[in-house]
Amino acid sequence: MRLAFLLLSILLASLFEPNCFRFFAGQLIRFEAWRGGITAHIGSVGGSLFEPLVLRDTVWIYESETGPITRVEIQATIAAFSWRNLLPRASGNAFQRLTFQGVTGKIQFPLNPTSVAASDHPFTFRLPRPGGHWLPAPERIEASEVDFIFQSDTDYVRLLDTTFTLSNVEAGTIRAGQILVKHPWLNRTFRDVHGTTAIQDAKVEFADLTLEPGVQVQSLSAELDDLARGLLNLDTRLAAFGGEMRIAAQTLSQERPFAFEATNNFSQINVAKLATFLGISDAAGGTIKSGYFKFRGPPQQLAKATASLRLEATNFQWESRQWDTLVLGATLVDGRVQIPELALVQGHNRLNLNGEMPLPTEGVAWWQSEFSVKIAAKIDNLTELSALMLPEFTFAAGKANIDGSISGKNQQFDGQLILSGSDLKWRNAPIEQLHASVNLNGNEFQITNVSLFNNGDYVHGRGVVNIIGDKQYWGEVRASIEDLATYAAILQKPIVPESLAGGAVIDWSGEGSAKGHSGKFSARLRKVRSLGVTAALLHPINADLDGTYAQGVMQFSRFSLSDDESSFTANVGVGNKALSLQGVRLYHKQALWLEGDALLPLDVWNAWPNTTLATLLDDQTVTKINLTANNLQLREASLLTGWKFPIEGVVSGNLVAEGPLGGLKTSGKWALNKARIPLAWSGDALTGVEGEATLEGQALLIQKLTGNHPAGDFTASGKIDFTNLRDATLTLAATSAKTALRFFSLDNSDHPSAAEAIVSANLKINGPASAASIAGDAKLLAVNLGGTRAAAPVDLAALFLESRSQSLPPVFALHAPPWNAWTFDIALRTSQPIAAQWAAPPAGRCEADLRLTGKGADPALIGTVTFRGLPVIVGRAQLQLDEAALTFRDGFPRNPSINAQARGTAFGEPFSAHVIGTLDHPMHFFIFDAPLTGKAVRAELAEVSDGQKELGEPHFGLLVPAELTGGVEVVAWAP
């Protein structure tokens, strides 16, 4: 006993020695931390029994059993004690003040709670309570320079530059320099936030924290020891967004993984203020009158959690959508979302919905799991739906009702939807009555009825489509419409390419699967025509069609096209490799224009809709054609295609053909009179065409073909061998007595110009149509440098101006195939000097020895052309061209050599101008007599004058000795 007393006396006495006191204090703190499952690192311990206890550079780490990890670093912790208050009859608090300086910390809530191991040491540490421990709680707690983060995955709340005081005997304060919130719903920074604090036992409360005007935390309370261990135990009241919110959250510490329970009750929330605070939408409004949200369970494993939501909102607006009232109730139980009520009122419209579905699972669509939904909608004003759904509903009007239910399980479905409407309108397209009903049965989507009525017009339909797996369908449609234009607002893409006009009666039924399709159809079309951009190019026609189709074949029992004057009938069949036209009859009034039969090697079924000649023709099908035309007028007959082709002429003759394409045997004779054949949609055409041709074997023999093209006349004869029908071989001879050819056109420039050559020609065209060659001779009859077709004159004057390099455009260019691949070898010559005109009379003379070579995409000239006697107007000087020779060299199609000279006057004095070199790098010089100078000559050429004669030294060039009677100036090369 005496020994124990002695040891205790020694121990107590040692506490009065500072180093011993610090040692015992540090060990005691580490021991208490260890008992509570906290890892503590203390840099140093200061103070004594008579001075405050100081801990420097401490680190505190705690890993909760449920997953959260807490880490706090403190630069300095100061604990001030009054040891005398431990004596009997003392009235003061022994633990007076606890001060933290430089606090950095984080509570990390784990994203994957199953990966967190539990601590081997249960946490039992509690802050001291008055009378409940050997050491009571401090009277005052102070903290400064606090930087603390509450984080879960990438979401967090961070307090920066924070200072606070806590006391159980007086009111405390808190000031946060910044509060940063990063969350998918809110990403904001609040600055200079002030409030008051209080502490009772280990429970701390913050009050009157104004985050921003209109958003105030009235109170927020939490258990400090729970918070330090990463456990939620919060109770918050907010006055925000014009209403009130109360939030309570606490950790379910007895459960693993990390889970919590939270409730949020709210009332009179102004939606506009809430949306502005969240930064979601500037266009929001309405009021959430009351509601609540409850959650219980692990937030990272929603399938194991439960939740419920209910709210009532009025005058709700979100961006362009608005509704008057909304009542929504939803729950989450066992991984399924249940909606017991969804009631929406918008204007004269009502919507009620309830149902349930599983939580979304990655890779699994919601309809692939078990779900059910019931819907009832009463829409008395479709126009008002534009405020709820899409703005396009402003173009809709009428009433509609929807009623039904749908459920699904294991990708099998069951349910029914019924839709009805009256006085409906979309833009200007009316529908008086609409009825539709749909059933879901197993894997089938059954359209039991679709009916639309309007003023005698109707559409009826029904059918079945499987929903999942290999597509199968069956259906039928019947329609009778007096004028399709009435429904132009509905009949647009993708239903039809352009809005249509005209009457239609249509009857179709069919079925299909992956193995094939079959069905039958009937159509009666009257004066059908387009109302779109191509309307001016189309001709209204009538069509009477009856037929059947199956995989790879379509057979018409009736095929008739007609207009007011003409009609075309035939028995039409479409197979995999052939198009059959039997009993062809084309009548114009009472006259029979075309008759016969045809079996054509056209693979329409497989080539449609991306048809080309290469994919359309079939080499194996045996062709059989026997057609006879009697004074068939091309213009009227082509109208039955529905297009107004710019074609005219009268065709008579017969065609007999049989065999595969590679061995086709033909016979017959054709005549064409008074024809106009378009060359393109640009308007250019062959006119006055007269022709005679004979079919023999695999060739078309052209005995005569005459007419006019936009530039002159033509006569042709020869042979077209179509052994290879995809690329026939041409052997033709063509002549022209007079043709105007336009060269060096600049139609795409700001100042179009061109040279025009009047020629007579004898040409041979040989080779495949895809790459034929044109060879022969052309005699130049006249040349016009002023151009035609509103083209400006060729700028001859530029040849004689200084610093004006020139370059010729292409001779011409044929961009479209096959013409761009055709090759040319044509001689262009003059047998004697011919007339050459520029801008206006008088005309000069021209001689040429040229050859046109190369492909149509970029032909070239080789040879020389010489002009004499042309007037060249430059400024106030009028030059008379003595001679200008252009030599086109092989390999330099845009840059011929030039040698030109002209005579003119400047200020009444004569001079001569000379150009030599190449067109893109010419050298100019002038020859003149004193007192005329080069400067004066250039002034006249460039229209520069001050009203006086420009006599004196040249601006630049060679000075000429004064004793010479004439002057010569050499001008530098143009750049």
Side-chain angles (χ1 to χ4, degrees):
M1 186 68 179
R2 291 180 178 179
L3 180 61
F5 179 77
L6 178 61
L7 292 175
L8 179 61
S9 299
I10 295 173
L11 177 63
L12 293 174
S14 67
L15 294 178
F16 288 90
E17 203 286 320
N19 290 328
C20 291
F21 173 83
R22 295 166 190 165
F23 173 78
F24 283 116
Q27 295 303 318
L28 179 62
I29 292 171
R30 291 186 180 94
F31 175 75
E32 285 295 323
W34 173 79
R35 282 206 318 127
I38 299 174
T39 302
H41 301 276
I42 302 174
S44 64
V45 180
S48 68
L49 192 62
F50 305 103
E51 296 175 329
L53 179 66
V54 180
L55 306 180
R56 298 191 182 278
D57 300 324
T58 59
V59 179
W60 312 84
I61 302 173
Y62 175 73
E63 297 186 19
S64 170
E65 294 180 357
T66 57
I69 301 173
T70 303
R71 178 186 175 93
V72 181
E73 299 179 11
I74 306 174
Q75 294 179 0
T77 303
I78 304 171
F81 297 92
S82 177
W83 302 109
R84 72 182 67 181
N85 288 333
L86 292 175
L87 299 175
R89 298 189 181 92
S91 61
N93 195 337
F95 197 170
Q96 294 180 326
R97 186 173 66 255
L98 182 62
T99 303
F100 301 102
Q101 297 175 352
V103 180
T104 302
K106 176 191 287 188
I107 298 178
Q108 177 78 51
F109 298 95
L111 176 64
N112 184 6
T114 59
S115 65
V116 179
S119 173
D120 294 332
H121 303 284
F123 183 69
T124 59
F125 176 75
R126 293 289 187 274
L127 287 176
R129 292 173 170 79
H133 204 275
W134 69 272
L135 187 63
E139 289 184 354
R140 184 181 180 89
I141 300 175
E142 298 176 351
S144 61
E145 302 177 41
V146 177
D147 181 354
F148 208 91
I149 300 175
F150 303 87
Q151 183 169 358
S152 174
D153 193 19
T154 59
D155 305 332
Y156 62 83
V157 177
R158 182 176 185 180
L159 282 71
L160 277 170
D161 188 21
T162 300
T163 301
F164 65 83
T165 61
L166 298 172
S167 175
N168 56 11
V169 296
E170 61 179 352
T173 62
I174 182 171
R175 175 195 169 276
Q178 296 183 61
I179 299 178
L180 284 68
V181 181
K182 183 181 180 298
H183 189 274
W185 290 358
L186 181 64
N187 193 348
R188 295 283 303 276
T189 298
F190 306 102
R191 303 181 186 278
D192 196 21
V193 179
H194 296 267
T196 62
T197 66
I199 187 170
Q200 183 67 35
D201 293 336
K203 185 175 184 179
V204 63
E205 181 174 337
F206 301 92
D208 301 327
L209 292 169
T210 301
L211 301 180
E212 65 176 35
V215 181
Q216 184 184 58
V217 180
Q218 293 179 322
S219 67
L220 186 154
S221 61
E223 293 285 348
L224 274 181
D225 53 355
D226 286 347
L227 193 62
R229 292 180 295 145
L231 302 176
L232 295 176
N233 192 354
L234 304 176
D235 193 349
T236 304
R237 289 189 299 111
L238 294 174
F241 322 121
E244 295 183 352
M245 301 177 69
R246 180 159 186 170
I247 303 171
Q250 62 180 1
T251 300
L252 303 174
S253 57
Q254 70 274 22
E255 298 182 10
R256 268 182 63 88
F258 170 72
F260 69 91
E261 182 178 41
T263 61
N264 181 5
N265 293 279
F266 43 86
S267 62
Q268 301 301 318
I269 301 299
N270 185 293
V271 177
K273 294 179 179 180
L274 175 62
T276 301
F277 180 80
L278 298 177
I280 298 176
S281 174
D282 294 332
T287 302
I288 301 177
K289 296 176 60 177
S290 63
Y292 65 84
F293 173 72
K294 296 180 179 180
F295 179 87
R296 180 183 177 88
Q300 306 298 340
Q301 298 181 6
L302 294 180
K304 296 181 178 181
T306 61
S308 61
L309 167 70
R310 192 179 191 281
L311 62 86
E312 297 182 17
T314 60
N315 301 320
F316 202 92
Q317 175 187 352
W318 196 263
E319 295 182 346
S320 62
R321 289 162 174 77
Q322 301 177 11
W323 55 86
D324 300 332
T325 63
L326 170 69
V327 177
L328 171 63
T331 60
L332 171 64
V333 179
D334 296 330
R336 298 185 63 81
V337 178
Q338 300 174 350
I339 303 177
E341 62 174 332
L342 171 59
L344 187 149
V345 177
Q346 188 268 329
H348 296 83
N349 306 317
R350 305 288 187 274
L351 170 67
N352 293 91
L353 182 145
N354 62 73
E356 65 173 305
M357 61 180 289
L359 279 172
T361 303
E362 186 176 356
V364 179
W366 64 269
W367 49 266
Q368 293 178 318
S369 303
E370 185 177 359
F371 73 93
S372 65
V373 61
K374 294 181 180 180
I375 184 172
K378 187 176 186 296
I379 302 170
D380 289 338
N381 190 325
L382 275 171
T383 309
E384 292 177 350
L385 281 184
S386 62
L388 177 63
M389 300 178 67
L390 300 175
E392 287 77 6
F393 271 89
T394 56
F395 306 114
K399 300 179 180 181
N401 292 307
I402 304 173
D403 192 8
S405 62
I406 300 174
S407 62
K409 184 177 181 181
N410 298 326
Q411 300 190 29
Q412 296 292 306
F413 307 93
D414 182 62
Q416 182 181 45
L417 284 176
I418 299 175
L419 170 65
S420 63
S422 61
D423 300 322
L424 302 173
K425 181 175 288 188
W426 179 259
R427 294 185 185 270
N428 61 347
I431 299 175
E432 292 178 355
Q433 295 289 329
L434 165 65
H435 300 284
S437 59
V438 175
N439 288 340
L440 287 98
N441 185 7
N443 191 30
E444 291 185 345
F445 185 85
Q446 301 172 346
I447 305 172
T448 58
N449 172 55
V450 174
S451 299
L452 296 91
F453 303 91
N454 182 67
N455 196 27
D457 298 339
Y458 65 85
V459 176
H460 297 300
R462 61 193 183 107
V464 176
V465 179
N466 70 314
I467 302 173
I468 301 173
D470 294 335
K471 294 297 182 289
Q472 298 182 27
Y473 71 89
W474 168 88
E476 61 182 27
V477 175
R478 293 181 178 84
S480 175
I481 301 174
E482 183 177 355
D483 188 358
L484 294 168
T486 304
Y487 311 97
I490 299 175
L491 296 178
Q492 297 181 359
K493 290 182 178 180
I495 301 175
V496 294
E498 293 183 347
S499 298
L500 301 175
V505 177
I506 298 172
D507 192 346
W508 168 86
S509 63
E511 60 183 12
S513 66
K515 297 180 180 179
H517 309 271
S518 62
K520 62 181 180 179
F521 57 89
S522 173
R524 304 289 182 265
L525 308 179
R526 294 294 177 264
K527 295 188 179 298
V528 173
R529 59 201 181 277
S530 171
L531 298 176
V533 295
T534 61
L537 302 175
L538 298 177
H539 176 70
I541 63 171
N542 308 317
D544 292 284
L545 310 173
D546 292 307
T548 60
Y549 66 91
Q551 186 66 22
V553 63
M554 180 182 294
Q555 185 67 46
F556 290 85
S557 58
R558 178 176 178 82
F559 187 98
S560 174
L561 304 175
S562 64
D563 61 12
D564 292 340
E565 295 184 334
S566 304
S567 66
F568 174 88
T569 60
N571 294 322
V572 179
V574 179
N576 276 335
K577 303 295 184 180
L579 173 63
S580 175
L581 302 170
Q582 303 298 315
V584 173
R585 296 291 185 273
L586 173 58
Y587 281 92
H588 181 73
K589 298 180 180 179
Q590 302 300 318
L592 179 61
W593 279 357
L594 180 68
E595 61 179 330
D597 306 294
L599 181 63
L600 305 176
L602 303 179
D603 193 1
V604 177
W605 192 271
N606 292 321
W608 181 267
N610 300 315
T611 57
T612 64
L613 185 60
T615 60
L616 196 60
L617 293 174
D618 180 72
D619 294 319
Q620 305 304 317
T621 300
V622 175
T623 301
K624 293 183 180 181
I625 302 175
N626 188 352
L627 293 173
T628 300
N630 300 294
N631 296 320
L632 184 149
Q633 297 186 28
L634 293 175
R635 179 181 176 278
E636 286 74 12
S638 67
L639 291 176
L640 293 182
T641 65
W643 290 87
K644 297 179 181 177
F645 287 107
I647 189 171
E648 297 178 5
V650 179
V651 176
S652 295
N654 71 295
L655 166 62
V656 177
E658 185 171 355
L661 289 183
L664 195 62
K665 301 300 181 182
T666 64
S667 63
K669 186 175 182 179
W670 292 85
L672 177 65
N673 298 293
K674 302 176 182 179
R676 182 182 188 275
I677 302 175
L679 297 176
W681 289 104
S682 61
D684 290 340
L686 302 178
T687 58
V689 179
E690 303 282 337
E692 293 180 2
T694 301
L695 286 160
E696 290 185 3
Q698 293 178 282
L700 175 66
L701 306 179
I702 301 174
Q703 284 83 28
K704 179 186 73 170
L705 184 64
T706 63
N708 298 292
H709 54 78
D713 63 83
F714 71 91
T715 299
S717 62
K719 174 183 175 182
I720 300 177
D721 189 326
F722 48 79
T723 301
N724 180 3
L725 194 60
R726 292 180 175 85
D727 195 8
T729 300
L730 310 178
T731 307
L732 301 173
T735 63
S736 176
K738 184 178 181 181
T739 293
L741 299 179
R742 196 177 186 192
F743 293 125
F744 309 118
S745 175
L746 290 175
D747 286 340
N748 294 326
S749 68
D750 294 334
H751 303 286
S753 62
E756 187 176 74
I758 311 301
V759 304
S760 62
N762 290 285
L763 305 175
K764 302 291 185 181
I765 304 173
N766 294 286
S770 62
S773 64
I774 302 178
D777 298 302
K779 182 178 180 181
L780 286 173
L781 304 177
V783 174
N784 182 2
L785 298 180
T788 58
R789 308 177 194 175
V794 176
D795 191 6
L796 295 179
L799 297 174
F800 298 96
L801 294 178
E802 302 166 15
S803 304
R804 293 284 301 275
S805 65
Q806 301 290 309
S807 150
L808 289 176
V811 179
F812 61 82
L814 303 174
H815 302 291
W819 325 115
N820 56 358
W822 284 28
T823 58
F824 293 85
D825 186 10
I826 303 173
L828 299 170
R829 297 187 180 93
T830 56
S831 57
Q832 59 184 6
I834 60 172
Q837 183 174 316
W838 175 67
R845 310 296 292 171
C846 174
E847 296 180 49
D849 186 2
L850 299 169
R851 182 169 294 276
L852 180 67
T853 64
K855 291 187 178 295
D858 189 19
L861 286 175
I862 299 175
T864 301
V865 57
T866 303
F867 298 94
R868 297 183 180 88
L870 288 170
V872 183
I873 308 299
V874 183
R876 292 185 299 270
Q878 179 172 335
L879 298 179
Q880 181 69 37
L881 185 68
D882 288 338
E883 182 175 305
L886 293 174
T887 300
F888 294 89
R889 300 163 294 160
D890 190 11
F892 301 91
R894 310 280 194 276
N895 188 28
S897 300
I898 183 171
N899 187 348
Q901 61 184 27
R903 291 172 287 112
T905 60
F907 302 99
E909 299 293 333
F911 70 92
S912 63
H914 300 260
V915 182
I916 60 173
T918 60
L919 198 61
D920 62 347
H921 287 291
M923 186 175 72
H924 308 78
F925 63 91
F926 307 100
I927 300 177
F928 47 83
D929 293 329
L932 193 62
T933 67
K935 184 176 181 181
V937 171
R938 288 191 301 275
E940 289 290 86
L941 294 178
E943 294 186 309
V944 177
S945 174
D946 58 2
Q948 302 176 359
K949 283 192 173 183
E950 297 281 350
L951 301 180
E953 295 298 325
H955 181 63
F956 61 92
L958 298 177
L959 296 179
V960 180
E963 61 270 15
L964 296 180
T965 57
V968 175
E969 181 184 13
V970 178
V971 180
W973 291 88

